[in-house]
Each structure stands twice: as C-alpha cells, then as structure tokens.
Amino acid sequence: MPAPEDFWSYFGAVATYLAVLAVPGGVVGWAAGLRGWALAGLAPLLSYAITGLAGPWLAIAHVPYGPLSVAAVTLLLAAVLHGLRRLATVRGRLTPDAGGPPWTRRAHLAVAACVTTAVAVSIVVVVSGRGGTTAVFQRWDTVFHANGIRYIAETGDGSLTGMGTINWYPDGSFYPNAYHLAGALVYQLSGTSIPVTLNAVTMPIAGLFALAMAALVRQLGGRAVFAGSAALVAGGATTGAYESVSSGLLPFALGIVLTPLAVVALQRFLARPGVDTGAVLALSATGLLAAHSSALFGALLFAFPLVVQRWYRVVRGRRVDGAGEGTRAWRVVGGDVLRMLPVMVFAGLLSAPMILGAIGFTSGSYPYYAWGSHMPVWKALAMLATFKQVLPVPQVWLTVFLAIGVLTLTALRRMRWLVLSALGLSALFVLVACFGGEHWVISLSRPWWNDRFRLMALASIPLCLLAAHGMSETQRWLAKLASGRAWVRARPWLTGRVGLATAVLLVVAMGVLTGGFYRAANAKTVSLLYYNGLPGEVVPPVSQDEIDAMDHLGALGIPADQKVLNDRLDGTAWMYALTGVHPVAGHYDAGVAPPDALYLAKHFVDYDSDSEVRAAVRRLNIHYVLVGSGTIRRDTPIAWGLQHLDGHDFLQVVYRNPGAVIYRIVK
C-alpha cells in the first residue's frame, strides 16, 4: 500500500544503501589486505559487522549511534588492522596471497556483467512485486524491523534490546540488530521515510547473493564461467533470497545471502594463516551473527565440509593450501585447529554482547512454538530439486542444470565439498519438513525456529552452486563441440573466441527460456510481502485508511512520553515507524507483552467502571486511541476492549475515515 513519495528520494535511498554496504567494509577490508573479488564480495559483510558491532558497543559506552560514530569506528578499526598488517610484514610474518588461477581482463568483466545482471533482476523483481516505491510491508515481523530502524535513528540507541522497547517496554527484548543499524544509517542519510528505506534495502537482496556466490567461486579457483553462472543462478532462484523476503524474514534473508562469504574468509585463512586473514575471518563470523543469530550456525554447516575435504586430502597424502609438500596429516589438522582458536576467541570477544544476549533470550520466558511440518518425503525432495516451495511452478531449467552438475561432480575438483554440504543441508530440510513435530527435530532446528522455509533457503546455497556448475559444464561442452567443427579449425582467429561466444549464447538462451531469469515467478513470490499476490492474500493489514489516520495522529504533536492505545493485530502497529508516535502495541506479536497492554486490550471499553483500566491508562500516559479495521489474522477480530467505542462519554472522536477512527480520552 503506497504512501506519497517522489522517485528521486527513493533513488537516493537506494544509492545511500549501496554506499553503506560498500564504504565501511571496503575501507576496513582494504586495510586488512583484501583485494579484487574478495574485497568486493566481503565488503558488504564487513559493513554489517562494523555496524553490528558499533551499535551494541557504543551503547555500552553511552555514545550515540549514528553516521559520525560509525565513521569513527570504521577508521579506528581500519587503522588497527593496517597497523597490525604492517607490523607483521616488517617482521616477515606476512606472505602474499597465492591467489587462484588467473582470469583474463575479459573474464573479470564478464563475471562483473553477470553480477550486474543479477542485481538488475533483483531490482526488477522487487519493483514488479511491490506495487509502489513506498509500499508498506505487510508481513508479520516487518513492523518490528520498521519500528526498530526508526527507533535507532531517532534515539541513537544501538543496543541489542533498545528497539524492542517499542513493544516490550520498559526493558525491551534481545534481537541481533545489524540489519536495523545499517537501515538506520540509510534512513538518516537519505532523509526518506521508513517504507522507502525498507524497500531500498530489499531491492538488491538477490544481487548481494550473486556477488557472494561469484566471490566464493573465484576464491576457490573456479572458472569465470562458473562464477558468472553462480551469479545468474543466485539472481533467479526463488528459494534463495526471494522466498525469505516474501515471508517478511528480512534479517534472515540478509543472513542467507551473506552466508557464502564465510567460505571466502575461511579459505583465505586456511590458505595463509595470518593476523590479517584471521581478523577478516573473525569479523565475518561476527557480521553473520549480527545479521541474524541463525546465520552463523548456517555458515558453519555450509562451510565445514570444505574443512572435511581439506583434511581428507591431506590424510591421503595430497597437497593442500597453506601446508608444505610432505607435511604430515596430523600436523596440518592440528595446526588448523590451533590456529583457529585465537580467531574464535577474538570473534567471541567482539560479539560478547550478542552471545550473552542470545543466551539470555533462549533461557528467558519468550515462547518457542514449533511449526511441526509433516509432508511426504518425496514432496520435500521434489521441492529441493525444483527450487520451489511457495509457488506451484517448478524452475525446470535450474533443475536441469542441477542434474548436470551432479553428473559432472568430478569436474568440481576443489569444490567437491559442495556435494557433502548439499546433502547435509538438504537432509536437515527434509527432517524439518517431514518430521517437524518430533521433539528431537524441534530441538535440532531451534536456530531456525523449526521453520522449513528458512531451511529451504539455507539448502538452496549449495544447490544453486551445483546448478551453476552444471551450467558452466554445459558451456564447456558446447565450446568443445564448436571447437571441433572444421570451419572453426580452419579459422584460427575464431578459436580464441569460441569460449566467450558459447558463454554468451548460453546466458542469452537461459534468459530467454526462463523469461528473464524467472522474473515473473519471483515477482509473484515477492508480492506476498505486500499482499499483492495470490488469491486470499490481497487485503493488506495496513490499509490506506489506517495510514491516513496515522498521518493525522502524527500531526497532533503527541510527545514521546505519551502512548496511543491501539489494537495489536490491525495495521496501527506501524504507528511509530510511519509517524514517530509511540503505540501501546508496537508489534503483532503478543508474546510476553506488557501486562498493561494486555489488560487494556481486553477491558478498555470498561474505562468508566474499571479502576484498573484507568490506572493502566495513567501509567502508560495514554491520551488518544486509534482503532483500525481488519487484522493480520483474518479469523481474529479487533480486541474486545477496543470494540464498540462510539457513544462512550469518556471518548471524543477527533478524526474518522471509512477504515479508522481516532479518539481523545476526555475523562
């Protein structure tokens, strides 16, 4: 549901977000010795690490979070890493990166073009699905993220519990907040509204996935065609970023698209252990944890098979990166473990507020509800193989390339660990999708809230890479076939161009056969975020009437120490995000909600006769009431205590439209 805003402010928000992604992480990454695709890929993750660390630690130091303080943290961290790197160089403890097989300049440009195409596809998908540049997100958790971004920007409180005070007052609730801290910078620097900020942050989500995949393939020595294919597959796979976005799982989607970068950082450290590569690995782990608590768990499951392959090779007497010829297996394995310990300690110290907060949250009173999915195993396997879960139409060409990738596993060479990763993560998805009600499965999948949709996104990472491998092997076969033709052999000037020609032909064919890399299907998926999609999903909880009423409320000059009474399940939970006015209910989630909020929802209509209602109104300093129409749960009406308020002498109507009404408490 759109609200007024012009195109240029929206464009400015997108540009600002790209700068927030590139600049802090780019500066720190450069100081730590990152170059090329490793720098380009890891810069966004490092930016989220910087903002995710700055918020909590600045709050502990009682320093306001904002653009200037983040810039100071960035420069301080860059200076420390640069100094450590210089010191290690002077003492001869730093050797240059070996790097992978060289790519030609044309190969680099071709992969960059594929990543750019994936970014464009991601933007077009979100634009096509949303129905307006300022459309308000309608899914469950999006109101919490919107309120959180505004809270951080307005208060400078980047703590891990602060933004939760909008709904769980007075103490708040723990939530890893790198997504919101970066969003707050975009909101402050661009000067746009919260809906524009959220849309701007969402638009390039699959493009980030593409960049991370390309950087991973490059780091592991893959061909440029493989890297470009990985970018295009990531930009088109529905189960990668788009399904998580469609459910409103915005920080989780961010964690998924950044997960491949864990392999980049890990491989660099294993190949050349050092203070610089160790610092980048520690910051990468911290960035994943700050983006979403489950992201670090997922990254460990995804990346550990790489270590397994490394140790398997050395046990068989084969050479591995970072170890000299003839080094004994136990020395390599033991050395890897011992060198990882200080990195883990450093990462643990950096992320101590997040770790302690997560421990406190999981042992607290917040309820954990299992989804308890029970579907046939064959259906779960079919979903994995066809890259679809929300929509009924399979992504056939990705399935074809996945099959080719599996059949050509031997050509993966250094990336054969992907098979183990795909098997492990797919098995975890099948367990949760088919046996989700079993107690041990519920416990095992707790980092992902026992949610098969989240685990499908995690499993899609190695599956997308295997499909990209199949696509690149198809190009290799086409190039070999074309090179064998007599008319090509008779023209020597053609032989050097066959590879490029077949790659371009394959990409164009893929784009045509999939309708622009599945643009329409992915737009339909993303449209569910805005309730612009499937039948029965087209009536938004946040209606235009409610937006108009909240805008009017914002013009009344209500001070920050007052709260406005509202229903928890209608669209008015967006009140703070849209206007800065504090609601009684700032989230659809009533889990461990404040007692006064729960009591008023049930009994406010008895204001005249119930002294406890009047006491709660005084405690929360409530002077206005806003009631919308409809709820996010269609089978649940407006709270009983907020029904039939017209005609009561303790209320005066100050604004009314067909879908919302504002009352002033006059007694």
Side-chain angles (χ1 to χ4, degrees):
M1 186 64 62
E5 193 82 42
D6 62 68
F7 168 79
W8 289 109
S9 62
Y10 183 75
F11 178 82
V14 175
T16 302
Y17 177 53
L18 295 178
V20 168
L21 286 178
V23 175
V27 170
V28 169
W30 182 273
L34 292 174
R35 300 293 185 269
W37 283 98
L39 176 61
L42 284 166
L45 177 55
L46 293 177
S47 290
Y48 274 105
I50 293 164
T51 54
L53 287 170
W57 283 110
L58 289 174
I60 291 171
H62 302 288
V63 176
Y65 176 89
L68 292 179
S69 57
V70 171
V73 170
T74 299
L75 293 175
L76 176 63
L77 190 56
V80 170
L81 290 177
H82 180 71
L84 290 174
R85 183 175 165 82
R86 287 289 301 272
L87 181 62
T89 302
V90 169
R91 294 188 175 184
R93 296 179 181 176
L94 198 67
T95 56
D97 289 322
W103 285 355
T104 65
R105 181 173 179 272
R106 188 170 62 186
H108 283 288
L109 292 175
V111 175
C114 290
V115 173
T116 303
T117 300
V119 173
V121 169
S122 181
I123 292 173
V124 171
V125 163
V126 177
V127 168
S128 302
R130 73 174 182 266
T133 58
T134 60
V136 172
F137 291 177
Q138 302 284 346
R139 289 297 185 177
W140 186 266
D141 284 332
T142 54
V143 62
F144 174 71
H145 304 315
N147 286 336
I149 288 174
R150 181 161 192 149
Y151 172 85
I152 293 170
E154 289 194 341
T155 66
D157 178 10
S159 68
L160 294 164
T161 58
M163 65 184 189
T165 59
I166 299 299
N167 185 61
W168 294 285
Y169 40 84
D171 299 324
S173 179
F174 168 80
Y175 199 93
N177 59 351
Y179 175 89
H180 313 84
L181 291 163
L185 294 180
V186 176
Y187 177 65
Q188 289 176 287
L189 293 172
S190 66
T192 54
S193 66
I194 290 296
V196 169
T197 299
L198 284 173
N199 278 289
V201 171
T202 303
M203 282 182 65
I205 187 75
L208 283 179
F209 196 26
L211 176 60
M213 295 289 230
L216 182 154
V217 174
R218 173 57 180 159
Q219 181 63 39
L220 293 178
R223 295 193 306 140
V225 177
F226 188 1
S229 299
L232 294 173
V233 170
T238 303
T239 52
Y242 300 121
E243 279 193 359
S244 297
V245 166
S246 75
S247 299
L249 304 174
L250 305 179
F252 177 80
L254 173 67
I256 286 294
V257 303
L258 296 176
T259 293
L261 296 168
V263 169
V264 178
L266 177 61
Q267 171 61 21
R268 292 184 74 255
F269 178 74
L270 292 174
R272 188 183 60 77
V275 65
D276 53 346
T277 56
V280 169
L281 179 57
L283 286 172
S284 298
T286 303
L288 288 169
L289 186 61
H292 196 272
S293 297
S294 70
L296 183 57
F297 289 98
L300 290 171
L301 294 178
F302 171 62
F304 186 68
L306 179 146
V307 180
V308 172
Q309 177 176 316
R310 171 183 172 86
W311 291 348
Y312 175 76
R313 284 178 57 85
V314 77
V315 166
R316 296 194 63 186
R318 297 181 180 178
R319 186 181 178 280
V320 295
D321 293 335
E325 194 74 37
T327 305
R328 293 181 180 273
W330 67 270
R331 287 186 177 275
V332 174
V333 175
D336 287 347
V337 173
L338 289 176
R339 283 187 287 267
M340 190 64 69
L341 290 177
V343 175
M344 294 171 61
V345 171
F346 180 51
L349 291 174
L350 286 177
S351 56
M354 287 172 273
I355 295 172
L356 295 175
I359 293 172
F361 179 79
T362 54
S363 60
S365 58
Y366 191 88
Y368 171 53
Y369 299 113
W371 288 96
S373 174
H374 288 91
M375 67 169 57
V377 173
W378 70 264
K379 186 175 181 180
L381 293 174
M383 286 180 174
L384 288 165
T386 56
F387 296 87
K388 63 99 179 174
Q389 188 172 206
V390 171
L391 298 181
V393 181
Q395 295 188 304
V396 175
W397 287 103
L398 293 187
T399 302
V400 170
F401 286 129
L402 176 61
I404 296 172
V406 171
L407 292 173
T408 56
L409 291 178
T410 55
L412 278 169
R413 299 183 184 277
R414 295 177 66 188
M415 296 183 67
R416 292 177 187 173
W417 60 269
L418 280 174
V419 179
L420 185 58
S421 181
L423 289 173
L425 295 178
S426 297
L428 184 58
F429 166 76
V430 171
L431 278 177
V432 173
C434 305
F435 309 99
E438 301 294 330
H439 291 299
W440 67 275
V441 175
I442 292 172
S443 299
L444 181 67
S445 59
R446 179 156 187 170
W448 301 275
W449 288 87
N450 189 237
D451 184 0
R452 65 180 174 90
F453 290 92
R454 301 183 194 223
L455 289 165
M456 170 65 90
L458 184 59
S460 74
I461 300 174
L463 292 176
C464 284
L465 285 167
L466 288 175
H469 168 63
M471 188 173 172
S472 68
E473 289 304 300
T474 301
Q475 181 274 336
R476 192 200 297 268
W477 177 80
L478 290 174
K480 184 178 180 180
L481 184 67
S483 299
R485 297 292 179 179
W487 64 274
V488 174
R489 293 199 304 269
R491 296 167 175 80
W493 60 273
L494 275 178
T495 56
R497 294 173 172 82
V498 169
L500 177 61
T502 52
V504 171
L505 176 64
L506 184 62
V507 169
V508 171
M510 180 69 169
V512 172
L513 292 172
T514 60
F517 303 99
Y518 296 105
R519 181 201 61 80
N522 290 328
K524 191 66 172 177
T525 301
V526 170
S527 72
L528 302 180
L529 177 63
Y530 307 91
Y531 277 62
N532 295 330
L534 300 176
E537 296 273 333
V538 294
V539 180
V542 191
S543 67
Q544 186 61 52
D545 286 337
E546 289 170 334
I547 291 174
D548 293 341
M550 286 185 278
D551 286 341
H552 184 85
L553 197 66
L556 295 178
I558 300 173
D561 63 341
Q562 290 185 19
K563 294 186 184 297
V564 172
L565 181 60
N566 64 313
D567 183 69
R568 183 167 299 280
L569 296 180
D570 67 15
T572 61
W574 273 79
M575 184 189 309
Y576 180 74
L578 296 180
T579 68
V581 176
H582 288 256
V584 168
H587 192 350
Y588 305 125
D589 188 355
V592 296
D596 283 344
L598 296 175
Y599 193 83
L600 290 174
K602 295 179 180 178
H603 303 290
F604 177 73
V605 71
D606 300 321
Y607 180 92
D608 269 335
S609 58
D610 190 334
S611 60
E612 183 55 33
V613 169
R614 296 192 295 274
V617 167
R618 286 193 298 272
R619 284 193 293 268
L620 298 181
N621 198 12
I622 298 171
H623 295 268
Y624 291 90
V625 181
L626 171 57
V627 181
S629 56
T631 66
I632 195 169
R633 289 176 173 163
R634 292 190 177 84
D635 59 348
T636 305
I638 296 290
W640 174 257
L642 297 177
Q643 294 182 25
H644 312 298
L645 295 182
D646 284 349
H648 289 277
D649 62 356
F650 63 88
L651 294 173
Q652 177 186 14
V653 176
V654 297
Y655 176 87
R656 185 189 297 274
N657 66 33
V661 57
I662 301 174
Y663 303 94
R664 180 187 293 115
I665 300 175
V666 294
K667 290 179 65 177

